[in-house]
Amino acid sequence: MATASKSSKRRLEIVENNENSAEVDDIIEAQVSDNADDSTDEESSEYSGLEDDEEDDSDDEEDNSDWEEGSDEDEEEGDEVHNMSTNEDSEDDTADDKVVPTAVPITQDGPSTSTAQLPAPPVEDEYAYDSSDEEDLRNTVGNIPMNWYDDYPHIGYDLEGKAILKPKRGDEIDNFLRKMENPESWRTVYDPQTGQDVILSNEDVDLIKNVMGSRIPDGSYNPYEPWVDWFTNEVMETPVTGRPEHKRSFIPSRVEAIKVGRMVHAIKMGWIKPRVAKDTSVERHKYYLLWNADDKSEDVRRIENPIPAPKPRLPGHAESYNPPPEYTFSEREINQWNRLAETPYQRKFPFIPKRFSSLRAVPAYDRFARERFVRCLDLYLCPRAKKMRLTIQPEDLVPQLPKPRDLQPFPTVCSMIFKGHKGLVRTISHDPSGQFFISGSDDQTLKVWEIATGRCFKTFEVKGTVRCVSWCPNASIALVAAAVDNNVYLINPGVGDRLVQAKTDEILKEMPAQTDYLIPQRVRAVLTWNEPDKAQWDSGFRVTLTHFKAVKHVAWHSKGDYFSSVMPEGDNRSVLIHQLSRRRSQLPFSKSKGLVQCTLFHPLRPYLFVATQRHVRVYNLLKQELTKKLMTGAKWISSIAVHPGGDNILVGTHDRRLCWFDLDLSTKPYQALRHHGQGIRAVAYHKRYPLFASGSDDCSAIVSHGMVYNDLLKNPTIVPLKKLRGHAKFDDFGVFDVLFHPTQPWLFTSGADATIRLYT
Amino acid sequence: MGARMKKKYEAGEATKYITRAQALKKLQLNLKDFRRLCILKGVYPREPNNRKKAQKGKLDKKTLYYVKDIRFLSHEPLIWKFRDFKIFMRKMKTAMEKGDKETVARLKDNKPSMKLDHLVKERYPSFLDALNDLDDCLTLCFFYSTLPRDTKVPANLISLCRRLTVEFLHYVIAAKALRKVFISVKGIYYQVEIKGQPVTILINHLRGFKPTTASDVDYRIMTNFVDFYTSMLGFINFRLYHSINLQYPPKLPGININENAADEDATEEYNELVAALNTSLVANVPEAEEELQIDEFPSADGQDKLDEAKREAEAIERLKSLFKGLKFFISREVPRESVVFVIRACDGEASWDSSIFAGATYDETDESITHQIIDRPSVEKQYLSRYYIQPQWLFDCINFRRLLPVEDYFIGANLPPHISPFVTERLGDYIPPERQVLLALERGETLPAEEEEEEEEEEESEDDSSEEEEDSKPKKNETTKSQVVKEKKGMKVMRGRVEMPDIKGMDEEEKEHYKFRELMIRNKDKRLYRSMMKNRKSREREAKRLENKRKFHEKEEKALKKNTQIKKIKKDA
């Protein structure tokens, strides 16, 4: 029964609008066809729940009893007719008669015929079927979708196997009219199993309403019945067992008594104290006067040599919330800032300076916590040390030098340019009086110039590049030594005092007698003294010294009798010293000490300076020994010059350094100057004035003041005075040679641009 | 038998230092405790003079401490406290796991606690030492006082920081020690002068302040610092209050700091603190007003210096009572704490809407209010009797040490730039024009602001010619200006000027001489000289860049102004 009620519940759920029964029918039909796969029990017993109209109980026993009651009733009623009449009655008043089956099938023909179809419960074998579900079995098709029978005239078979014909439904108009006429139409539903209309009873309607209202379907069930306490919680007065309680359950424990006694004793003795609540006011008053005076420090043990932490940096204008407009970032700066995301420490600021229109718009700085944290890390992790802070200005490091104006005279302006050569002017040399000078060039000529007028007096054609010219310092001879390729020519320039010229010619006319002098084999292999032929003599050549290698440098002794020549490629025979008066030569060195660049004679003493690539060696010619070796520290010496006093040497190098050696002080440079931008080609001292000059490939010559004092305790003062420019660059060469006028503070420079300049 | 060979690294620099790992081993501490100990005791690594020797020839860089420092640490009783605490934690853990509530309660009651009083005295034997190190202390305490209540930081520490910092602010108000202020993007800087020592504090902005979300910050380390700083600040506060005859701890009305308050109470508590700033403290003994007079000693060379010192003293006196007699009303959108502090520190009176925050002393309707601090573009109802100004006015006034004209700071006005008072310019550095005005005022010159404006107008009307003239001396400017004013507008023929003889040649000689002198610098100093010159060059370049940028900006602004004026005129027409 329970299942039946459930199925009916499900089926009638949809009935909402009772007035439109036709629709309801359709819906229910559809519903039934949907539910066709329900169990057969449910299908077949669709009326059962409605029929026996008892309380819906889940109890099986009751169910059974109900059924039995129902069957009893049937027995009592006896025949079908009576039953039918009761049905008719019930149609009129849908009263609360419990016994009467409330749902009555209606057919087209009328209620009488329909009731006839109701199979009477078989009286004889009332126990033949044990399930109440099957009691109303009229159609035996079973649990199938009823639409299978849509195309047939029947809807199934009764118990006897006869087809149950579909009752006539009539057309829509008939149905409608019938519905209009029939006041019960709102509670009439169509049963697809039997093909009949069924009128629902009041109870059914109530049941449906209850279900729809989600109440208990059975209206008569009282959920608030008084509670009957079947199993009471009251303790019964009589105990279950009559056993008396143990003595220890009412006598105090001895063990506990001992424990308590101990505690009491401890409290008495003051061993146990009550827990004191913490006084928070103490916390607030925990500070006191720690320092009595402001700056008086008491002696306490401290950490060793404490260094206070540096104070955090104070903010600049850019950190302002409203900075001056020049501090805010332009787009380019923002891009640059963003580009440094990988290396944020390179940023100018850790934030982008930005202008906020008002204070209210300024947000919290998102790196604030991080910056505080980093500061904390710095305080305890950074090693500290005391560093001296420089309070000097960079100007204080620059030495104070005397003003150039106080050190005049010195050459300042280019006052004359000697033009005439067609190639690099490699070398120049002046005559002892200072009236003329001679220049040698790559155009294979030597030219003699008068200084005062700038006129070129003479030109000597030679076959080869002129490497070096040197005017004999002896004023009583008019002679120039010129190194051209393998030869050294001694030339009478033919200018100046005629008497001197004549005398020179006279001296050189005849070869001195070489009695009992045999030219050493070593020298003979290197050099030959040659007399000029007639044509050469006429053009001024007096003697030719032919060497076995190219001669790069010649230098006269101050007396004018000796001169030296240098062949860098000559190995141990690279330096030769010649004596003009006797026309003899000698090779002073038996061992090679490197590539010899140039040699110079000491102006006063018999010393010879030999500059190799790295060092300058000073030889005593009398004792024939090495007296000093000067360490320049340079890679390639280009030229040397000796101070007229003889105690100071200038060394110019290709690696831009100009070294001043004080021979009394040390073998290391007294001062090394790096004033030139490129390698130095030539250096020179002035004979009278405290001046020296250097010429370099950077097309400039620098004139400096170099005062040497007689007082041995006083070091020379060196002051650069003036940079003289003017020469043009040619083939990476600038100035080749510098030369001071013997008496005037004038400087000659010869350059790669085929000119010679005079600065006064 | 020869003399025993001397072993390496057994004397001198090598014995002075100890690496951190060795120190840990010696002290038998773990790294965490060692770190804490170092922070509390103020022990830090040292940079040796010769690292190779100090590390006994090892090349990798190590953290080196003085051996003496570590020996000193080993005598510290705090180490035993650390060990006690370790034991306590172990016992607690056991009890908690056993569920022994009785024991837990007992243990909690007897939780070992540290007292750091002796450390304060030891690290700062004199009070001035402590003041010298106050910057970091205050900045960190202020930072902690603004932290939200969070599990990362103990709540009672935050409350303690709040209390101590407010007490310090009260001292500054009472002693009128505020000297400079600066609103930066990071926060607001305050410079306070205590016993002649400048102390600079940075207090962060609060809008959208979420410090505890930062993942790259270890709050445990900072808490170690704060532990020490709170005790240090407490003692300093005590001494400061004592020095101006105030009772410590002060009884601030309406302030009751609940050390275990929940987070909701935090904002309320903060409001209370601000309210407390608005009340003056009661002195133990009423102070006698005493005018300090600088005695004049005739000195041969220092007359200028003396004058300067006098001017400085006067300016500070003026600053102390800068807002005296002024009544301020603070709108609710203005950060109240900083503004109230600044006003009160310069002897002004402040109040706010009493319906929103506690501690207001008078109402908005009060007719005697002279200034209303407001930070919004417009306001509906305005009183005629008061100025409505933006908060920057207060800060600029303090930096200039005088009341500035309020016109530039009215509501909705485009504020003049706010410049830093902390910058000390070196020779050749760029100085923004606003700063130049300030410096001139400090030098004792008076800049008539109105004339300046006139000049500007004239500049606008004329072209480059007048500017060129201005470059020459200002006295000349006076005479030519009148002429220029007469000749205004239109084409004109300018009077010719005498060409000065070119002195460049002379300069050239000097330059060459200097170049030679440069060449003669000793090799020893050459590198230093070069780096110094390089720095100077870059600074000069930077100055030039900023100057050009400013000029460009001003030109642009002028053009904009002109455009708008023209548009206006056209509209009117």
Side-chain angles (χ1 to χ4, degrees), chain A residues 275 291 294 302 304-305 307 315 319-322 326 328 333 360-361 364 370 375 384 395, chain B residues 44-46 69 109 123-124 127 136 185 189 207 216 239 375 392 418 420 430 536 545 549-550:
Chain A
R275 204 176 289 155
W291 299 279
D294 274 348
R302 296 185 74 183
E304 179 77 2
N305 186 19
I307 302 169
E319 209 183 302
S320 169
Y321 89 106
N322 180 12
E326 62 269 31
T328 53
E333 281 168 308
R360 144 186 68 106
R370 173 75 188 160
R375 172 72 184 169
R384 294 188 200 168
E395 278 81 10
Chain B
Y44 38 83
R46 307 295 186 127
D69 281 355
D109 269 2
R123 280 175 68 169
Y124 309 111
F127 184 53
D136 288 315
V185 288
Y189 287 88
R207 193 166 77 83
D216 47 1
R239 173 99 181 92
D375 197 11
Q392 193 189 318
H418 181 61
S420 168
Y430 171 70
R536 177 188 278 187
R545 192 182 67 84
K549 214 170 163 189
R550 178 73 181 220

Side-chain angles (χ1 to χ4, degrees), chain B residues 215-230:
Chain B
S215 57
D216 47 1
V217 174
D218 189 350
Y219 275 90
R220 283 172 303 177
I221 290 175
M222 282 211 276
T223 304
N224 288 341
F225 272 96
V226 174
D227 277 340
F228 175 74
Y229 282 155
T230 47

Side-chain angles (χ1 to χ4, degrees), chain B residues 47-108:
Chain B
E47 185 68 30
N49 289 333
N50 186 340
R51 189 165 269 279
K52 198 189 162 203
K53 272 185 194 165
Q55 289 186 171
K56 299 188 172 61
K58 274 163 201 141
L59 290 174
D60 49 337
K61 218 170 176 186
K62 295 212 156 118
T63 315
L64 296 175
Y65 290 87
Y66 274 163
V67 171
K68 278 189 177 176
D69 281 355
I70 298 301
R71 209 177 296 142
F72 175 58
L73 279 185
S74 68
H75 295 295
E76 178 56 47
L78 274 182
I79 294 179
W80 289 103
K81 284 280 179 199
F82 289 169
R83 288 173 185 150
D84 285 349
F85 194 76
K86 213 159 92 184
I87 294 163
F88 162 78
M89 285 309 286
R90 200 168 58 217
K91 282 182 179 167
M92 273 291 272
K93 199 180 161 223
T94 318
M96 293 281 256
E97 275 167 4
K98 281 183 180 167
D100 192 349
K101 282 179 192 163
E102 175 76 13
T103 319
V104 168
R106 182 170 51 76
L107 285 173
K108 262 189 187 165

Side-chain angles (χ1 to χ4, degrees), chain A residues 492 500-510 537 542:
Chain A
N492 186 345
V500 175
Q501 290 174 33
K503 193 183 156 197
T504 310
D505 282 348
E506 203 175 303
I507 291 168
L508 296 175
K509 194 135 207 174
E510 277 179 23
W537 182 272
R542 298 295 174 256

